[in-house]
Amino acid sequence: MKLAVKQQANVQDTLKRVKDEVHPAPKTVPHNVVKTKKPQAPKKLFPDSALFQRWGEDLPEAEQRKAQDLFHRFGYNVYLSNQLPLDRSLPDTRDSRCLQKTYPSQLPSLSVILIFMDEALSVIQRAITSIINRTPLWLLKEIILVDDFSSNGELKIPLNEKIEFYNQMYPGLLKIIRHAERKGLAHARNTGWKAASADVVVILDAHVEVNVGWAEPILARIQEDRTVIISPVFDNVRFDTFQLLKYEVAVDGFNWQLWCRYDFVPQTWIDLGDVTAPVRSPSIMGILAANRLFLGEIGALDDGMLVYGGENVELSLRVLKEEPGGRYTLPVLTLAIVTCIALMVSDSDHQNANNIQLAGCWKTLERIFSGDNPQFPHLWSTPSNSGIDYGDISSKRMLQEKLKCKSFDWYLKNVYPVLKPIPIHDIVGYGRMKNSLDKGICLDRGPVTNNIPIMYACHELGSQYVYYRLTGEFYVGSLVAEVHSDDLCLTDPGHREEPTLEQCSKAAQNKLHIYWDFKQGGAMVNRDTHRCLEIRREPSGTYVPVLQTCTAQVWEIQYTLGNLSQTNVL
């Protein structure tokens, strides 16, 4: 009996313990303690916005809306910029050997030109503040702001008031010039250059922050050689967090869209073993420094370039000059990257017209890109190939003759050999490719991490550039501009339905099936497998490219040249 009672008591204890664990009794709270509820994290209103991928985790919803609105308007995190100190500290990203360099006590005077159009006021103020705080004042003669017809209200009276405030502390240091209509970057930079009075001009965008010791290497290099134009190495300030990201030393180049790009430094500079030495560059970015008078002697920037893009490449090309004895160098303009500075830049359809005008100024480019029958207008998304009027360029060619500029052919061979020539002479079709089953979709390069082409809604971007060569290859995607890289060729692997994209040189070496027969408005037939590239509708409703026995499907390429005869039009 005692054992049974004890066992019953154990069962009751167990049941009570389980009950307490599942439904615990409320704890007694002392009368003087207030129980608080843990706040919930704000709901993410814009989970797909680039602004909130690394920033704004705990931002209240109303502030998220405000930040996203400013981001949509400016393209960078103005909400955060407005909260950061104007004189915030920045890490010194220079190589330690740069800190050991010394510069002459007597250096040229400096005019800093800041170009802007609808930037955020706090970003412009931070640029001004960094220049004042990190430039020796005995060198800094003036800061010239050029407003290229901004519509942002805070860049009117509020900016004038800020300038007046700065000038109370530094009399006459800041000047502002406002365009009555939008002129573009090249014109705005020339406006600032014409207004400058110092020995050296440094032309910057207004969304920059300069770091400690930025000016002395530039001024010292130009003092050594007044014909040097400097394109400084700069780091990056992230558009979302305003965190500084260090960029490694690189030289400035461009691709066949004539957009700027970074190239590897030459081996000759590496062999010097001196990271503080300037390095020659085949081109310049828009940010540059030059002797003010010398920049005028070579014609300054081409302010016929409208709004944005191309003027930096044009300046780079213009200065090739013949030396006595028939030797060609870069005697007038030594494009130089100065490595011992830290200049930060935050991320932020006239490019087409500018590039075509640039092509018109240089006969080799003119043969490639313009003239009576422009062969590659798609490089700048030009809507047709009926001829392009790029205006009167006679004065530009007269300037080239005055400067004794060498040809673009010579430039490619002697100055920029890493720019891979376009196979211009045997490309007979190019642009977007459409199939007869659906005219709204185009053959597309697809994700860069994959080697499978796709069909995608037609657009003007480089992933849908297709080039058909007389030799039979189809290049898919933007033309590769680097000598050491390769274009992608459309391939029939022979053993599956999916076509692939392979590097052309390797595909040819491996005897893959990269040669196709095609006539405008006809089938795309692989020469080796005799299969056709066609498209098939999936159960989801999307189309995919497939390789199969030829049916009645036909293709059309956007532009045809030379031997690619036109049989049908979709």
Side-chain angles (χ1 to χ4, degrees), residues 29-318:
V29 180
H31 70 278
N32 60 342
V33 177
V34 178
K35 187 177 181 181
T36 60
K37 196 173 183 180
K38 185 177 180 181
Q40 291 184 342
K43 178 183 177 182
K44 288 188 175 182
L45 301 180
F46 309 98
D48 298 327
S49 171
L51 178 63
F52 293 100
Q53 301 307 305
R54 297 178 178 85
W55 173 86
E57 184 71 27
D58 299 321
L59 205 63
E61 292 181 11
E63 300 305 295
Q64 289 182 49
R65 292 189 182 92
K66 186 184 300 183
Q68 177 65 19
D69 181 64
L70 288 168
F71 176 61
H72 180 74
R73 181 180 172 189
F74 290 95
Y76 50 80
N77 195 345
V78 175
Y79 180 93
L80 176 60
S81 175
N82 293 343
Q83 300 179 46
L84 292 174
L86 297 179
D87 61 345
R88 68 171 183 154
S89 61
L90 294 169
D92 191 340
T93 60
R94 294 174 295 173
D95 188 279
S96 59
R97 284 165 285 188
C98 290
L99 306 181
Q100 302 169 13
K101 288 187 72 70
T102 59
Y103 301 98
S105 58
Q106 298 295 321
L107 288 170
S109 58
L110 175 62
S111 294
V112 178
I113 300 165
L114 296 177
I115 310 302
F116 63 92
M117 196 283 293
D118 283 342
E119 296 278 8
L121 179 57
S122 61
V123 166
I124 296 176
Q125 282 186 266
R126 193 169 295 109
I128 294 170
T129 302
S130 70
I131 293 167
I132 292 175
N133 289 351
R134 296 171 183 142
T135 310
L137 289 179
W138 60 89
L139 299 175
L140 183 60
K141 187 172 185 179
E142 58 198 358
I143 301 174
I144 301 173
L145 284 75
V146 182
D147 180 359
D148 193 23
F149 197 55
S150 294
S151 58
N152 181 4
E154 67 176 0
L155 300 184
K156 307 298 184 182
I157 294 177
L159 177 56
N160 289 343
E161 292 173 348
K162 301 297 183 185
I163 292 173
E164 184 178 348
F165 173 75
Y166 283 114
N167 282 336
Q168 287 176 357
M169 295 184 290
Y170 309 97
L173 182 63
L174 266 66
K175 304 177 178 68
I176 186 165
I177 303 170
R178 299 185 186 274
H179 287 167
E181 60 181 351
R182 193 175 184 197
K183 299 288 189 179
L185 280 176
H187 196 113
R189 286 166 176 158
N190 276 351
T191 296
W193 163 71
K194 291 174 184 176
S197 58
D199 302 319
V200 171
V201 291
V202 174
I203 303 175
L204 308 174
D205 296 329
H207 47 263
V208 304
E209 298 176 63
V210 300
N211 212 335
V212 60
W214 77 281
E216 293 90 329
I218 292 175
L219 297 175
R221 181 72 183 97
I222 294 175
Q223 183 169 260
E224 292 174 2
D225 184 352
R226 70 184 293 272
T227 67
V228 168
I229 288 187
I230 290 173
S231 185
V233 172
F234 50 82
D235 297 326
N236 177 263
V237 174
R238 281 199 58 88
F239 70 93
D240 50 355
T241 64
F242 275 63
Q243 177 187 5
L244 178 65
L245 300 179
K246 177 178 173 56
Y247 277 4
E248 296 302 324
V249 177
V251 297
D252 301 330
F254 53 87
N255 59 20
W256 280 114
Q257 281 92 352
L258 304 183
W259 279 108
C260 298
R261 74 172 193 208
Y262 290 115
D263 288 330
F264 293 113
V265 295
Q267 187 62 44
T268 52
W269 182 80
I270 297 174
D271 293 341
L272 291 175
D274 181 5
V275 298
T276 72
V279 54
R280 291 172 67 93
S281 176
S283 183
I284 58 174
M285 295 289 186
I287 288 176
L288 61 91
N291 177 283
R292 177 177 60 86
L293 297 178
F294 173 71
L295 189 57
E297 293 168 13
I298 61 171
L301 289 161
D302 182 358
D303 55 19
M305 297 286 188
L306 301 176
V307 182
Y308 179 81
E311 75 283 347
N312 55 313
V313 177
E314 195 279 334
L315 180 61
S316 304
L317 301 180
R318 191 195 316 147

Side-chain angles (χ1 to χ4, degrees), residues 335-347:
L335 300 172
I337 301 292
V338 171
T339 60
C340 278
I341 74 168
L343 176 68
M344 274 57 64
V345 182
S346 62
D347 283 341

Side-chain angles (χ1 to χ4, degrees), residues 194-472:
K194 291 174 184 176
S197 58
D199 302 319
V200 171
V201 291
V202 174
I203 303 175
L204 308 174
D205 296 329
H207 47 263
V208 304
E209 298 176 63
V210 300
N211 212 335
V212 60
W214 77 281
E216 293 90 329
I218 292 175
L219 297 175
R221 181 72 183 97
I222 294 175
Q223 183 169 260
E224 292 174 2
D225 184 352
R226 70 184 293 272
T227 67
V228 168
I229 288 187
I230 290 173
S231 185
V233 172
F234 50 82
D235 297 326
N236 177 263
V237 174
R238 281 199 58 88
F239 70 93
D240 50 355
T241 64
F242 275 63
Q243 177 187 5
L244 178 65
L245 300 179
K246 177 178 173 56
Y247 277 4
E248 296 302 324
V249 177
V251 297
D252 301 330
F254 53 87
N255 59 20
W256 280 114
Q257 281 92 352
L258 304 183
W259 279 108
C260 298
R261 74 172 193 208
Y262 290 115
D263 288 330
F264 293 113
V265 295
Q267 187 62 44
T268 52
W269 182 80
I270 297 174
D271 293 341
L272 291 175
D274 181 5
V275 298
T276 72
V279 54
R280 291 172 67 93
S281 176
S283 183
I284 58 174
M285 295 289 186
I287 288 176
L288 61 91
N291 177 283
R292 177 177 60 86
L293 297 178
F294 173 71
L295 189 57
E297 293 168 13
I298 61 171
L301 289 161
D302 182 358
D303 55 19
M305 297 286 188
L306 301 176
V307 182
Y308 179 81
E311 75 283 347
N312 55 313
V313 177
E314 195 279 334
L315 180 61
S316 304
L317 301 180
R318 191 195 316 147
V319 296
L320 302 177
K321 183 179 179 183
E322 184 175 5
E323 287 276 281
R327 184 170 58 90
Y328 292 94
T329 61
L330 291 172
V332 176
L333 175 61
T334 302
L335 300 172
I337 301 292
V338 171
T339 60
C340 278
I341 74 168
L343 176 68
M344 274 57 64
V345 182
S346 62
D347 283 341
S348 56
D349 309 295
H350 290 79
Q351 169 75 15
N352 300 349
N354 289 356
N355 286 341
I356 294 166
Q357 183 183 92
L358 169 58
C361 292
W362 295 85
K363 294 180 181 179
T364 302
L365 286 175
E366 184 178 26
R367 291 199 305 271
I368 297 174
F369 297 126
S370 57
D372 295 333
N373 183 22
Q375 300 187 51
F376 285 98
H378 67 285
L379 286 175
W380 311 300
S381 303
T382 305
S384 72
N385 63 344
S386 60
I388 300 161
D389 180 10
Y390 42 76
D392 183 5
I393 57 172
S394 58
S395 61
K396 306 179 195 305
R397 286 187 169 168
M398 288 176 61
L399 178 60
Q400 292 174 19
E401 292 176 5
K402 176 184 175 182
L403 295 174
K404 298 182 180 179
C405 294
K406 190 55 176 164
S407 70
F408 186 71
D409 289 317
W410 184 90
Y411 174 86
L412 289 180
K413 181 179 179 181
N414 295 276
V415 179
Y416 202 12
V418 299
L419 184 65
K420 184 167 70 175
I422 291 178
I424 181 67
H425 302 296
D426 67 353
I427 289 182
V428 291
Y430 65 92
R432 298 185 299 275
M433 288 205 72
K434 299 180 181 180
N435 186 280
S436 55
L437 288 188
D438 190 331
K439 302 176 186 179
I441 57 176
C442 290
L443 187 66
D444 194 291
R445 160 74 177 84
V448 295
T449 56
N450 203 345
N451 69 333
I452 307 297
I454 63 173
M455 299 302 297
Y456 194 77
C458 296
H459 54 65
E460 295 283 350
L461 302 180
S463 62
Q464 292 186 357
Y465 293 167
V466 178
Y467 310 83
Y468 182 52
R469 299 185 65 179
L470 189 60
T471 48

